[in-house]
Amino acid sequence: MSSVYPYQGRFAVHRRLPEQGTSREELLAELATMAAEEDAAWETGKCSGTMYCGDHDHYRFLTEAFGHFAHANALQRDMCPSATRFEGEVIAMTLDLFHGEAAGDAGNRPVGMVTSGGTGSIAHAVLAYREHAAAGGRSTRPNLVKPETAHPAFDKACHLFGVELRRAPVDPTTLQVDVDWVADHVDADTLAVVGSACNYGYGIVDPIAELGQVALDAGVGLHVDACLGGFILPFGEELGYPVPPFDFRVPGVTSLSADTHKYGYALKGTSVLLFRDKAVRDAQYFTLSDWSGGKYASPGMEGSRSVGLLAATWASLVNLGREGYRRHAEAIFSTAERLVACVRRHPELRVLGAPTFLFSFTSDELDIYHVNDFMRTRGWRFNGQQYPNAIHLAVTRPQTRPGVVEAFDADLADAVVYARDHAGETPASGAIYGGVAGGMTAEADEFIRAVMTDMLDAQQAVPEA
Ligand SMILES: Cc1ncc(COP(=O)(O)O)c(C=O)c1O
């Protein structure tokens, strides 16, 4: 599918393990070249989400912390007791942020675990609820109820673990989940209901307190997906932005996921999953004590894990502290407000719901993908959405740099004119999560599968020199 293999013609294409190694200097120079070119795309501040921190100095610091422990395995605590310190303190600091002290009594305080990312935390949560229910003889045909807007990681986890997923509609104006629908669709086999704080599509927080009441009435769990917002919303709340409570202060919240590798500004590869009830977390531990290779145990689905990631995550939290996170949140929230104001200046454009640091907009008059097409020519990279067609911008630190809001304002004005001039034509961009453009046709699944195959196999199509 791909016509040009990345860096083909500039660097060697490795098809087999080279007989003789290449020098470190040469390889590091090659890596530095690729990284510098690729970083240039987001350093402009025109890329939605993804580069939450965007501060090379912070990255260098994290990389140094990572480097000290990159080679150590978190499974082998006798060799790396430091992992117990990093992991335990990352969990403790996260529990503190989400008011773990407000839940449980002294003998059963909320607990947590560190996973590989948002999908990892969500998958572990679904698995833990399933195993806990099964151990209690509760459910053999379990289900989970999520807002349609909640992340596909829930669909993936349900798919993997044989859990039925019930997708609740959202209110068309507020884009918050329809709580009555959730209440009507919870039953004796429900493991948990889900609320987002905030969701990926619109930056909107679901009515967590109301969902908590539904969960309490039905005797089921409530998982709050704060993967995206977890390390920024609490600081937005402290700063006086309208952030409703969504953590353990809310009765009925039984678990919460928050990604350190997003607004926690840590390296890619970590997230924290918290449980109100220790027994639920512990239900998904895996042990095999009669294996010929020895007694095996892992606290989650992963086997070996690098202690480096735990060290870097710990270092990010301790280095920035509440003051650092609050300072970055202030810059991001205020930038988001200014960017939203730019959108609202155009009567043809409509901001969806009441967003936070991430906003989405559509148009009832123009094709929003024409707007996107034009913005791309000016270097902007938004995420495309559907039902309705819309584009979103997750505001991160790179957008807080001087001049970015002004550039957005000017480019958006030109984009609106472009969209008006091209009405009736087919836009080039579409709605595929992760920023890969494609059409929104019945063949979308097939197209996406081809893109994934291409990412894995493109190398095979490169002709031998
Ligand atoms: C709200 C929300 N939940 C879960 C995830 C999944 O996180 P990850 O991509 O780290 O697996 C994301 C990712 O953007 C998200 O925005």
Side-chain angles (χ1 to χ4, degrees), residues 106-462:
N108 190 22
R109 287 270 180 255
V111 294
M113 60 194 288
V114 177
T115 75
S116 60
T119 303
S121 283
I122 288 167
H124 279 93
V126 174
L127 181 62
Y129 281 117
R130 190 194 74 172
E131 295 301 279
H132 187 252
R138 245 194 68 213
S139 183
T140 50
R141 297 173 56 210
N143 68 71
L144 189 85
V145 187
K146 78 154 205 175
E148 189 281 327
T149 47
H151 196 270
F154 291 100
D155 305 56
K156 189 192 272 186
C158 287
H159 166 73
L160 290 173
F161 302 136
V163 174
E164 180 202 342
L165 181 68
R166 299 178 178 173
R167 285 197 209 148
V170 297
D171 180 280
T173 308
T174 65
L175 294 162
Q176 290 181 313
V177 69
D178 180 339
V179 178
D180 292 337
W181 193 101
V182 174
D184 288 346
H185 289 78
V186 166
D187 59 26
D189 291 321
T190 301
L191 300 173
V193 299
V194 173
S196 306
C198 53
N199 57 36
Y200 166 85
Y202 307 104
I204 283 162
V205 181
D206 282 310
I208 303 299
E210 292 173 45
L211 288 174
Q213 197 52 55
V214 170
L216 286 173
D217 291 346
V220 303
L222 165 56
H223 180 81
V224 174
D225 177 13
C227 284
L228 185 57
F231 281 93
I232 182 167
L233 289 176
F235 302 102
E237 181 190 346
E238 279 183 25
L239 291 161
Y241 288 95
V243 178
F246 61 86
D247 53 29
F248 289 114
R249 286 170 295 176
V250 180
V253 171
T254 51
S255 57
L256 183 150
S257 47
D259 289 0
T260 29
H261 74 184
K262 293 192 173 78
Y263 289 94
Y265 310 122
L267 294 177
K268 279 288 171 232
T270 61
S271 166
V272 184
L273 171 60
L274 305 175
F275 293 91
R276 186 184 285 263
D277 182 356
K278 181 175 178 297
V280 179
R281 178 198 63 182
D282 296 0
Q284 54 79 53
Y285 284 168
F286 182 82
T287 55
L288 186 64
S289 44
D290 61 353
W291 179 44
S292 56
K295 299 199 186 313
Y296 181 90
S298 64
M301 281 183 279
E302 294 86 6
S304 299
R305 289 185 295 153
S306 171
V307 180
L309 281 179
L310 295 173
T313 302
W314 175 88
S316 185
L317 292 169
V318 179
N319 170 249
L320 287 170
R322 294 190 82 99
E323 180 279 323
Y325 283 105
R326 200 180 304 114
R327 185 160 31 87
H328 296 330
E330 168 71 272
I332 289 171
F333 268 89
S334 58
T335 301
E337 275 189 341
R338 293 176 63 210
L339 291 167
V340 167
C342 298
V343 176
R344 291 200 205 279
R345 264 197 279 287
H346 299 279
E348 303 92 336
L349 303 178
R350 182 162 60 86
V351 175
L352 293 162
T356 48
F357 57 88
L358 181 163
F359 63 94
S360 165
F361 59 103
T362 185
S363 176
D364 303 319
E365 296 168 37
L366 308 170
D367 189 325
I368 199 68
Y369 282 114
H370 279 140
V371 174
N372 195 35
D373 285 352
F374 181 85
M375 294 299 270
R376 285 168 69 169
T377 67
R378 296 271 171 96
W380 294 92
R381 183 187 186 274
F382 302 120
N383 294 92
Q385 297 163 269
Q386 48 192 346
Y387 323 123
N389 288 355
I391 49 181
H392 93 202
L393 178 59
V395 182
T396 57
R397 289 188 57 211
Q399 277 89 64
T400 67
R401 292 178 192 161
V404 176
V405 174
E406 291 75 7
F408 179 78
D409 201 21
D411 292 343
L412 189 63
D414 291 347
V416 166
V417 173
Y418 172 91
R420 212 182 289 130
D421 290 349
H422 289 75
E425 296 173 21
T426 306
S429 56
I432 291 183
Y433 180 88
V436 185
M440 287 178 295
T441 66
E443 294 88 40
D445 268 353
E446 213 177 303
F447 174 80
I448 297 166
R449 283 175 179 277
V451 171
M452 291 194 290
T453 299
D454 199 41
M455 287 192 291
L456 297 171
D457 301 345
Q459 197 263 6
Q460 293 172 7
V462 183

